[in-house]
Amino acid sequence: MTSPSSDSETSRELSDLLAHVRWIAGGTASGKSTLAHLLADQYGVEVYNGDRAEHGWLTRCTPQRHPRLSAMRRMPPGGMWAGRTAKEVFQAMASLHGETTGFLIEDLLAMPTDHIILVDYFGILPNHLAPLLCRPDQAVFLLPTPQFRQDALGARYADPARARATWGKNDPEAMLTKRLTRDALWDEEVRRQAYDHRLDTITVDGSTPATDLANQVAARFGLGHRT
């Protein structure tokens, strides 16, 4: 067993190694990817997409260390949602229990350190992210209003093929309702933990143009103009 002091030293080492990383996290359907693409285009930062990376994590996880993530490998489309309440789905999230954090760290440590890496990923909570930061202004959490999220997800799953790929044979309308409730629980957890760690959250309701939001986040991240 490691001592508290050695745990603290390890956290400091990781935060130093990841000092070039900036994080856009928070809730689903809050515009994280749109914001990341705008910042990449304007400032030339490299974007790490956590949603895409998750597919590779499924081949690297083990039932002993990542029981919830490993369980997803055996599930058909919609299997995570069928027969569960929204709260049960929330409680079964691998990210809620920190199972995805180690994979994020491994991937980022394998990337170059001579330029800024921008992480676009919802699945990390402030409790798990705070030890990886040298400064609070390296991270921001976007949280959509309920209406903004409902409109965004409603448009996303209006495509029948996309709905089937996500929900399988389950009723898309019922699954979307459950998804919205699950996501609200995640937002509540993010908001509470961010307050505890004094990390910034931004409420996204669609009233602020994405370009203005990008400028706001760029200033927070200390991004210089692209040369």
Side-chain angles (χ1 to χ4, degrees):
M1 176 181 291
T2 57
S3 66
S5 61
S6 62
D7 286 344
S8 178
E9 290 170 3
T10 300
S11 294
R12 284 199 300 272
E13 291 171 1
L14 279 175
S15 64
D16 289 342
L17 291 171
L18 299 176
H20 62 294
V21 179
R22 304 293 183 269
W23 304 76
I24 300 177
T28 60
S30 59
K32 294 183 300 299
S33 295
T34 298
L35 185 58
H37 291 151
L38 286 171
L39 293 175
D41 289 343
Q42 186 169 356
Y43 298 99
V45 297
E46 181 177 355
V47 176
Y48 171 93
N49 188 302
D51 290 340
R52 294 177 187 168
E54 277 186 346
H55 299 292
W57 301 345
L58 290 175
T59 64
R60 292 156 57 187
C61 64
T62 64
Q64 294 76 25
R65 296 183 61 191
H66 318 97
R68 298 164 189 85
L69 195 60
S70 296
M72 293 177 62
R73 292 187 299 200
R74 303 187 297 273
M75 290 183 181
M80 178 179 179
W81 302 88
R84 289 176 171 174
T85 66
K87 186 173 183 179
E88 288 171 339
V89 175
F90 168 70
Q91 292 172 337
M93 292 175 67
S95 297
L96 180 66
H97 303 276
E99 291 185 17
T100 57
T101 306
F103 295 114
L104 278 168
I105 293 171
E106 289 175 7
D107 290 353
L108 292 170
L109 290 178
M111 298 176 72
T113 61
D114 59 350
H115 57 270
I116 290 178
I117 305 293
L118 180 61
V119 175
D120 164 21
Y121 184 49
F122 96 99
I124 184 166
L125 288 168
N127 281 354
H128 304 135
L129 179 53
L132 308 180
L133 304 175
C134 290
R135 307 178 311 278
D137 60 9
Q138 287 178 250
V140 67
F141 293 84
L142 304 186
L143 296 172
T145 61
Q147 189 61 55
F148 186 89
R149 171 179 283 137
Q150 184 172 343
D151 292 344
L153 292 183
R156 181 182 302 178
Y157 294 115
D159 177 6
R162 188 164 190 176
R164 283 194 301 272
T166 302
W167 312 121
K169 297 180 179 179
N170 299 295
D171 175 37
E173 186 174 345
M175 293 298 103
L176 179 56
T177 299
K178 191 179 296 187
R179 163 75 182 267
L180 291 170
T181 304
R182 190 284 309 260
D183 287 350
L185 291 170
W186 177 265
D187 289 358
E188 183 180 346
E189 190 68 21
V190 169
R191 198 173 279 109
R192 181 184 65 80
Q193 293 187 18
Y195 178 83
D196 290 343
H197 291 283
R198 299 183 180 180
L199 297 174
D200 273 0
T201 62
I202 296 177
T203 299
V204 179
D205 61 6
S207 63
T208 302
T211 51
D212 290 353
L213 185 57
N215 290 336
Q216 177 183 342
V217 173
R220 174 173 179 78
F221 287 169
L223 302 181
H225 288 290
R226 186 173 185 174
T227 58

